[in-house]
Amino acid sequence: MISINNAVIENILATNQTEIKTIIDKAKRSVFEFRNNPAPINLNAQQQNYLDKLIAEFESIVMIRPNDLKIAKDDFDIIINGSIMASQNREFKNELLKRMDYSGLRNVFYAKYFEASGLKSCIYCNSQLAVTVRTLNGKRSAKFQVDHFYPKSDYPCFSISFFNLLPVCGSCNNVKRSGMVNFNVYSDDPIDLRESPFTFQIDKKSLVSYRVNGTVENLKIEFDDSEKKGYNDQFDIEGIYSTQKDLAEELILKALIYNKNYLESLRNSFKKLYPNKIPMAERLLVGNYTNSKDIHKRPMSKFTQDIARQLKLI
C-alpha cells in the first residue's frame, strides 16, 4: 500500500552478489541447454527468438530495475505477447520456468532474501503476513508467499527477476492471479515512498455515535482510493478491514484516555533507559509501527497509522 524503497533491495543484491551470480550462471546455463537441445519440444521461430533474447540479456533481466522492467516487457511482447504465451505456448513456458528454477529458489534463496528485506506483511492488503505453510519432502514449513508483478504465466522471462517479486499473502495472491496492480510497488521517488495513494479512516458519523453509545458494531471503516486505482474492487480492502472494528475501537479508547502528556512521559522514560529507542514510544502507544516506511514490517500497520492519525493519537 506504499512503495518499497529500491535502495532496500539494491543493498541486499549487493550484499549477496556472489550467491546471486551463481544463481544467474546456473539458470542461464540451463536455458542455453534448452535452446540448443529442446527435445522433446520442437521450438518454433518465435520461441527460438524469445530464448535468444533472454540468453543474450540474462544477467540484466534478472537484475533489471523497475523503470526498465516495463520496457523489457514490451520488447518480449513483440516476440511473444504475454497472453499468447500463457494460452498458446504452455509446454514451452513450463519448460522455461523449470529451467529458470523459480520453485527451487523459493525453497532456498528467497526465504533469506525476503527476511533480509524486512518485508513481512502482504504488499497488497497489509492485513496478513506474507507467509504460507507448505509441505516439502513430507515436512511442513513456513515459506514466504511470492507474487510476480508481471505474472510468470505470461512472462516466464521475468520469473526470477528480483524487482518483479512481491511478498504477498495467500489470499491476495489467489485473488490477483495473472492480473495487474495499479501502483508503483518498487520506487525511488520520494513521493511514492512518503505517501500512499490509499488511506483508511473511521466514518465520522459512526465515530460520533460510538463516542455517545460505545457500540462497536456501528463503526464503519472507509478505504479511500483517491487516485481511482480500482484497488478496493480488486482486493475488497473494505471487506477485509470491516472485520477489524475491535482494533479501531482500541485506538478510539486510547485517544480518549491518553493525551500528549502521556506520550511525552513515554519518551522521557525511554530517554532515561534506552536513549536510542525514543521513537518507539509512539509504537508502544498505538501497538504497531507508526512510520509510513515501516508498514511492510508488520500486518495492520497502515490501518493503525491512518486511524491513529485521524484520532490525533500520534
Side-chain angles (χ1 to χ4, degrees):
M1 289 186 177
I2 194 170
S3 297
I4 299 167
N5 195 331
N6 286 349
V8 172
I9 305 304
E10 288 168 351
N11 182 60
I12 299 171
L13 299 181
T15 302
N16 295 274
Q17 57 183 331
T18 300
E19 186 172 5
I20 290 172
K21 184 179 185 306
T22 300
I23 290 170
I24 291 174
D25 289 346
K26 180 183 177 183
K28 182 179 180 180
R29 188 162 54 248
S30 184
V31 173
F32 182 81
E33 291 170 357
F34 176 40
R35 170 65 176 86
N36 290 283
N37 184 24
I41 299 175
N42 293 316
L43 299 176
N44 59 39
Q46 288 177 313
Q47 292 168 343
Q48 290 174 353
N49 291 339
Y50 194 97
L51 292 177
D52 287 340
K53 179 174 177 59
L54 176 58
I55 292 167
E57 303 173 15
F58 203 92
E59 293 86 348
S60 61
I61 287 173
V62 174
M63 306 294 283
I64 195 166
R65 287 345 187 225
N67 290 340
D68 298 322
L69 189 54
K70 186 183 184 304
I71 298 173
K73 173 254 185 192
D74 292 341
D75 289 343
F76 275 99
D77 271 339
I78 293 172
I79 303 173
I80 303 178
N81 182 271
S83 60
I84 294 176
M85 173 67 76
S87 61
Q88 300 179 24
N89 293 265
R90 293 180 182 177
E91 191 177 15
F92 168 76
K93 172 200 68 182
N94 290 337
E95 182 62 26
L96 180 53
L97 287 172
K98 179 180 176 182
R99 300 285 180 154
M100 299 284 279
D101 196 31
Y102 161 74
S103 295
L105 292 172
R106 182 181 178 186
N107 292 326
V108 181
F109 182 73
Y110 292 150
K112 67 177 183 179
Y113 165 71
F114 280 114
E115 184 176 1
S117 73
L119 307 174
K120 292 181 285 190
S121 66
C122 176
I123 188 68
Y124 298 141
C125 72
N126 192 237
S127 68
Q128 299 185 61
L129 286 171
V131 173
T132 187
V133 176
R134 293 185 172 268
T135 301
L136 182 64
N137 298 325
K139 182 181 178 182
R140 288 189 177 90
S141 60
K143 299 289 183 184
F144 273 93
Q145 181 89 8
V146 181
D147 180 42
H148 292 77
F149 185 79
Y150 290 116
K152 65 181 187 296
S153 59
D154 298 3
Y155 299 97
C157 54
F158 303 130
S159 60
I160 63 172
S161 299
F162 288 101
F163 283 95
N164 196 44
L165 304 176
L166 310 171
V168 299
C169 68
S171 297
C172 286
N173 204 10
N174 288 334
V175 169
K176 176 180 173 284
R177 294 188 179 275
S178 60
M180 297 291 296
V181 294
N182 187 21
F183 81 102
N184 297 325
V185 178
Y186 291 108
S187 179
D188 52 16
D189 186 325
I191 295 177
D192 288 341
L193 301 176
R194 186 178 65 250
E195 300 176 3
S196 171
F198 318 106
T199 55
F200 292 99
Q201 66 176 3
I202 303 172
D203 169 71
K204 293 180 181 179
K205 289 184 179 179
S206 71
L207 179 57
V208 171
S209 175
Y210 177 85
R211 285 172 170 163
V212 172
N213 57 42
T215 305
V216 67
E217 290 77 15
N218 293 336
L219 285 175
K220 181 181 178 182
I221 308 301
E222 296 179 331
F223 178 73
D224 180 19
D225 179 2
S226 59
E227 296 185 14
K228 309 300 180 186
K229 294 179 178 292
Y231 206 69
N232 189 50
D233 293 337
Q234 190 171 11
F235 295 104
D236 190 20
I237 300 298
E238 281 191 353
I240 293 172
Y241 282 87
S242 67
T243 66
Q244 302 300 315
K245 294 179 181 180
D246 57 337
L247 179 53
E249 179 182 36
E250 290 173 12
L251 292 168
I252 294 171
L253 293 175
K254 285 179 180 179
L256 291 171
I257 296 169
Y258 302 130
N259 55 30
K260 292 183 178 180
N261 290 333
Y262 180 80
L263 179 57
E264 193 59 36
S265 70
L266 283 177
R267 292 192 179 113
N268 288 333
S269 296
F270 277 117
K271 187 176 182 180
K272 296 174 183 176
L273 294 171
Y274 305 105
N276 62 326
K277 295 187 182 294
I278 294 175
M280 282 189 67
E282 288 187 343
R283 219 169 102 189
L284 283 180
L285 182 61
V286 303
N288 212 319
Y289 286 93
T290 56
N291 194 312
S292 295
K293 68 180 180 62
D294 294 326
I295 70 167
H296 303 301
K297 294 181 178 180
R298 186 181 295 171
M300 306 304 300
S301 54
K302 177 71 168 98
F303 176 80
T304 303
Q305 288 178 27
D306 287 352
I307 301 301
R309 290 193 179 97
Q310 178 190 2
L311 299 171
K312 296 182 171 52
L313 187 60
I314 57 174

